[in-house]
Amino acid sequence: MARHEVTLDWVGGQTRMIDVDEDETVLAAAQRAGAPLPLPYGCRTGACGTCVGRLLSIEGSEAAGDDGRTAESIDVADAFAYRREPRALKPRHRDDGYVLLCIARPRANSRVAVGSRVQSELVDNPWK
């Protein structure tokens, strides 16, 4: 069974590399590894978007730009496969590099921005 290294990069905070089996979700691996900060999640079915991350780079690809956005040449499908359709993401969100970590299984070593700031990029938080 193949394993991939996924580096979780909390915006403005910690970084943690975890090993993820190819049939395991990033969320499950982070929980197994005891990530320094918990990854938020809600539904575990790809319906709510609480667990969203933003792909920064794939091993061998160009690094993300200065604003932390995924380089246009990076395709999320090169880094992750989904267990089911990510209903919380529209095609434009996927094109912008967003990935739902509760249902995403790695296909390559990658680096992903995570945390509440990434979630607020995707949806407005009514509790601000």
Side-chain angles (χ1 to χ4, degrees):
M1 177 181 311
R3 300 187 100 180
H4 300 285
E5 294 177 352
V6 176
T7 301
L8 303 173
D9 188 355
W10 281 265
V11 178
Q14 300 182 26
T15 297
R16 173 80 184 263
M17 191 278 297
I18 58 173
D19 288 322
V20 186
D21 292 335
E22 64 184 355
D23 66 345
E24 184 178 37
T25 66
V26 176
L27 176 63
Q31 290 177 328
R32 176 180 44 77
L37 296 173
L39 291 179
Y41 66 92
C43 66
R44 289 184 178 254
T45 63
C48 74
T50 303
C51 64
V52 71
R54 183 171 27 84
L55 181 64
L56 298 173
S57 64
I58 302 172
E59 184 176 44
S61 68
E62 293 179 27
D66 293 339
D67 62 353
R69 294 282 182 188
T70 305
E72 288 186 26
S73 61
I74 298 175
D75 186 347
V76 173
D78 291 338
F80 295 100
Y82 283 112
R83 286 187 165 178
R84 62 185 65 182
E85 182 68 21
R87 293 178 292 164
L89 295 179
K90 296 177 178 169
R92 65 183 160 87
H93 298 139
R94 293 185 218 171
D95 291 345
D96 287 343
Y98 291 100
V99 58
L100 297 180
L101 301 175
C102 72
I103 58 171
R105 297 174 300 171
R107 303 172 107 181
N109 297 340
S110 60
R111 186 171 145 242
V112 179
V114 296
S116 59
R117 190 181 295 174
V118 175
Q119 186 185 29
S120 67
E121 292 171 2
L122 189 66
V123 293
D124 289 330
N125 181 346
W127 306 109
K128 287 183 184 175

